[in-house]
Amino acid sequence: MSTTEAVERESEPQSDDRWESVRDMPPSAKLVAKILDYEDTLTQSQIAEESLLPPRTVRYALSRLEDEGAVDSRFSFSDARKRLYTLNI
């Protein structure tokens, strides 16, 4: 690779920049983020079902993602006891 190729690669916008906030998180948080990327909006139980992770692990992953601002949550209109999670990156 020549120097000009290296400079061109550095100047190109990276498509993975939106994942920067998730990159240093635990694997469970990365998996939850990727599932939300594919599925758009899910409840915590739906995420646990899709990921095959225990509900407690999903809760921990969602709290980590929310702390970083990578996930938005809102109450479900159909069932106010549930929250809906959406990827925010």
Side-chain angles (χ1 to χ4, degrees):
M1 176 175 7
S2 70
T3 307
T4 55
E5 288 177 26
V7 171
E8 287 175 7
R9 284 190 179 184
E10 288 177 11
S11 64
E12 292 176 6
Q14 298 254 340
S15 62
D16 292 335
D17 285 345
R18 69 184 195 123
W19 293 99
E20 189 65 37
S21 60
V22 179
R23 189 161 292 146
D24 295 329
M25 289 195 171
S28 60
K30 292 176 186 177
L31 177 61
V32 168
K34 200 61 173 169
I35 288 171
L36 286 173
D37 188 36
Y38 287 130
E39 299 292 333
D40 194 37
T41 302
L42 295 173
T43 64
Q44 182 180 340
S45 58
Q46 290 171 326
I47 294 170
E49 189 176 309
E50 286 286 322
S51 66
L52 302 176
L53 292 172
R56 189 175 194 291
T57 304
V58 172
R59 276 194 306 272
Y60 174 72
L62 287 169
S63 69
R64 292 286 304 264
L65 289 165
E66 279 186 303
D67 290 346
E68 286 294 320
V71 168
D72 285 334
S73 66
R74 61 181 168 86
F75 288 105
S76 171
F77 292 119
S78 62
D79 187 353
R81 296 172 295 174
K82 295 181 180 179
R83 296 183 71 80
L84 297 173
Y85 295 92
T86 307
L87 194 64
N88 188 29
I89 55 174

